[in-house]
Amino acid sequence: MAVITIPKKALQSATARGESDTPTPAWDLYLDDELVASGYLSEVAARMELDLAAWYALFGEAPLVPDTPMTEDALHLAFAVFNRLFTTEK
């Protein structure tokens, strides 16, 4: 049985340099404490990109096989992972 480890996502505030070389508030993206992207000026855009990076880290290399049926267990696992990555707590 394969074990899927969900990466730890984190945003950290940073400073980016604009066209006029003035400091601008920005966001850096981390997966499992490793910097994966930096300089996002919008927190919303940074969060969306971080979700995409986490999704790709989990499933980006997985080949799709259209002739293989999806089991009930696989479907439940996919929904659980999706909900864990893309659902925010109230």
Side-chain angles (χ1 to χ4, degrees), residues 36-87:
V36 294
S38 63
Y40 283 83
L41 302 180
S42 161
E43 182 179 1
V44 171
R47 288 193 184 282
M48 289 176 31
E49 188 66 23
L50 186 57
D51 285 342
L52 182 61
W55 184 261
Y56 186 79
L58 284 169
F59 301 109
E61 300 298 324
L64 298 176
V65 182
D67 297 335
T68 304
M70 180 174 277
T71 65
E72 190 80 18
D73 289 339
L75 186 59
H76 287 299
L77 177 61
F79 279 127
V81 169
F82 183 86
N83 286 332
R84 175 88 185 259
L85 290 173
F86 298 106
T87 302

Side-chain angles (χ1 to χ4, degrees), residues 4-49:
I4 294 179
T5 303
I6 297 176
K8 183 181 100 179
K9 301 182 300 180
L11 286 181
Q12 289 187 5
S13 60
T15 303
R17 298 280 176 189
E19 291 178 10
S20 62
D21 204 33
T22 57
T24 304
W27 297 96
D28 290 345
L29 288 58
Y30 290 84
L31 282 181
D32 292 331
D33 300 322
E34 295 289 327
L35 179 67
V36 294
S38 63
Y40 283 83
L41 302 180
S42 161
E43 182 179 1
V44 171
R47 288 193 184 282
M48 289 176 31
E49 188 66 23

